[in-house]
Amino acid sequence: MGRDRDGSRGKATPMKLAKRLDCFEAYLGTAMNLILTRMREEGRDVINLGLGDPDVVPPDAQRRALAEACLREDHHHYPSFYSPMPLKEAIAGWYQRQYGVKCDPETEVLPLLGSAEGLFHIHTCLLDFGDTALVPDPCYPAYVAGVLIAGGVIEPVPLLRENGFLPDLDAIDPEVARRAKMIWVNYPNNPTSAVATPEFYPRLIDWARKYDVAVVSDNPYSEICFDGYCPPTFLQFEGAKEVGVEFNSLSKAYNSCGWRVGMMLGNREIMAAMSKVKSHSDRGMFYPLQVAAMAALNGSTDFMAERNAMYQERRDTIVQALLDMGIELGNPKATFYVWACTPRGFGTSKDFCFKGLDEIAVWMIPGSMYGKHGEGYFRIALTHPADRLAEAMARLKRFMS
Ligand SMILES: Cc1ncc(COP(=O)(O)O)c(C=O)c1O
């Protein structure tokens, strides 16, 4: 509400908000959390299968490092007071050990306040007003909002089941490709849980070179994989650093969603652009978080095998339960999401999921909330204890029958 000339609050006049706010939706999770909280306050036992936030804790050494670093009196200055190099070196070392990727910590690595921060600012680095971005459909909604807030124009790239939910690069109109400044890729994929084939990245890199398009690879699920499968990483492939960057994060790999610790690696020109933007948008990461992130990245990754075995067991239970209900779906090799076809007779994916929420208090995300081509699917997250998942499946079975 505005103020009258004398400074008093008189009759309400609408605030003159920016028009760009009208061109994107608020983040889905925030709105849904409000609805689910209200349902819980009304006494309903809601199971939120929408939330992709691990129900297990970060490794001990990481938590201890944070606690100890917080207790030190000299760790509470602006983060720019401390050299970022040790964390950059820890990130570079982690990428080298996990994926065999070599990056110069000084010029090819940047810590982020969660990869979501980078996902947002990358558009400021790559797009001028009216520039085209190729965005997969369905996709993690932050890509769409980020492009639109930056004043960019979205050209959707359909991810279809018949293509293994990979973009069909040959189907992108060469005119559109020439116009595009960037393309988003995200494998292992949210929401479809698809993974990239070994041929995909070399083809993508050739295509990006041909059309002079920056590749932005979002890879937060690189460590969540099953059945002995190790997902390939964009930066592993020759020429990747010439054409693009990759985001990763401690959120899923180290069960640390709340910590907001992410990273960006790759092309040094994009890295310098992002550093410039970040020099205004924040003052870096809280130093104790940097210390704890270093403890995590330099520490053992042994805990991941046990954690992934747990997700794998949950995946098996859910996949079998859905198949038993007659629901069509694939068997995900990575991510902690199950992407399944909306059962016949329940209307659209939104009809199915909201009716399910209403009748059995189980929240699953309608595929259409990730884009037009997500219609006909719904997504379940495996980040819940086995007994809650079993309870959700029992309720779903009742609902379906
Ligand atoms: C595909 C994808 N990218 C990025 C993010 C955000 O990750 P972070 O917690 O590092 O900001 C998520 C979170 O769910 C995601 O699914």
Side-chain angles (χ1 to χ4, degrees):
M1 184 176 79
R3 284 178 190 269
D4 284 350
R5 280 180 126 188
D6 64 1
S8 65
R9 287 201 185 276
K11 70 175 181 329
T13 52
M15 190 61 76
K16 294 179 200 156
L17 297 176
K19 293 207 176 33
R20 74 167 64 81
L21 287 168
D22 300 333
C23 69
F24 68 99
E25 298 290 332
Y27 186 59
L28 158 75
T30 316
M32 279 319 296
N33 281 344
L34 277 178
I35 294 176
L36 302 186
T37 305
R38 208 168 304 135
M39 286 176 71
R40 288 196 181 105
E41 283 166 2
E42 287 162 6
R44 299 199 63 187
D45 175 26
V46 177
I47 304 179
N48 180 3
L49 299 185
L51 195 62
D53 187 346
D55 58 320
V56 282
V57 292
D60 267 5
Q62 181 184 331
R63 286 183 292 150
R64 227 178 281 282
L66 177 63
E68 284 164 13
C70 277
L71 291 175
R72 283 188 50 159
E73 294 189 352
D74 57 343
H75 278 177
H76 300 274
H77 299 286
Y78 276 119
S80 52
F81 180 87
Y82 311 91
S83 160
M85 274 312 283
L87 178 54
K88 289 183 170 192
E89 280 161 2
I91 292 171
W94 191 68
Y95 249 72
Q96 165 98 58
R97 285 190 303 281
Q98 298 302 102
Y99 313 114
V101 171
K102 259 192 165 166
C103 283
D104 171 23
E106 182 124 31
T107 57
E108 296 176 337
V109 174
L110 204 57
L112 298 170
L113 310 181
S115 57
E117 188 216 357
L119 260 52
F120 187 78
H121 288 315
I122 190 74
H123 304 100
T124 315
C125 300
L126 295 176
L127 301 178
D128 282 312
F129 196 79
D131 280 348
T132 298
L134 292 161
V135 179
D137 177 350
C139 74
Y140 184 59
Y143 313 153
V144 171
V147 172
L148 296 176
I149 293 168
V153 175
I154 291 177
E155 277 289 343
V157 180
L159 302 186
L160 307 176
R161 192 181 181 189
E162 55 266 34
N163 299 328
F165 297 107
L166 287 164
D168 179 357
L169 298 171
D170 295 332
I172 299 173
D173 179 343
E175 262 313 297
V176 172
R178 266 188 281 278
R179 207 167 57 229
K181 300 282 282 293
M182 63 183 289
I183 183 167
W184 273 108
V185 292
N186 160 227
Y187 296 97
N189 183 260
N190 176 16
T192 67
S193 70
V195 294
T197 56
E199 309 80 47
F200 174 67
Y201 288 120
R203 284 211 52 231
L204 175 68
I205 292 165
D206 284 348
W207 177 91
R209 274 204 193 108
K210 178 171 173 190
Y211 291 106
D212 191 18
V213 176
V215 174
V216 184
S217 162
D218 185 22
N219 197 16
Y221 299 96
S222 56
E223 297 296 336
I224 313 289
C225 40
F226 317 123
D227 308 319
Y229 172 76
C230 294
T233 295
F234 164 65
L235 288 180
Q236 282 168 345
F237 294 87
E238 206 182 319
K241 278 197 271 181
E242 278 166 42
V243 296
V245 290
E246 178 155 291
F247 292 110
N248 211 315
S249 168
L250 267 60
S251 291
K252 325 285 173 173
Y254 286 85
N255 314 327
S256 308
C257 286
W259 291 48
R260 316 311 305 127
V261 178
M263 61 190 82
M264 171 173 161
L265 302 97
N267 184 274
R268 55 183 68 182
E269 286 173 72
I270 301 179
M271 215 62 60
M274 183 67 97
S275 293
K276 189 173 180 185
V277 170
K278 274 177 65 62
S279 74
H280 289 286
S281 69
D282 65 83
R283 295 286 173 276
M285 187 187 297
F286 180 41
Y287 190 64
L289 271 175
Q290 296 190 39
V291 171
M294 285 185 267
L297 295 167
N298 293 329
S300 167
T301 51
D302 289 352
F303 76 97
M304 291 183 187
E306 198 178 318
R307 185 264 322 273
N308 287 353
M310 176 192 74
Y311 287 140
Q312 185 177 315
E313 210 172 297
R314 294 176 184 180
R315 176 206 63 178
D316 292 344
T317 309
I318 295 291
V319 167
Q320 194 54 56
L322 294 175
L323 286 173
D324 290 346
M325 289 177 227
I327 290 175
E328 253 185 90
L329 75 162
N331 197 25
K333 287 201 235 176
T335 78
F336 42 54
Y337 302 117
V338 167
W339 180 245
C341 294
T342 313
R344 277 182 230 287
F346 285 85
T348 65
S349 60
K350 273 192 182 163
D351 293 337
F352 173 67
C353 293
F354 279 97
K355 197 155 184 253
L357 178 63
D358 192 35
E359 288 194 12
I360 54 167
V362 173
W363 173 238
M364 303 164 287
I365 302 191
S368 59
M369 287 191 164
Y370 297 97
K372 187 173 92 178
H373 289 93
E375 182 49 44
Y377 299 91
F378 63 100
R379 195 199 78 175
I380 285 178
L382 302 171
T383 47
H384 305 272
D387 60 333
R388 291 298 278 170
L389 289 174
E391 165 66 18
M393 289 303 103
R395 289 188 204 175
L396 190 59
K397 193 171 171 192
R398 263 200 330 267
F399 175 58
M400 298 269 302
S401 58

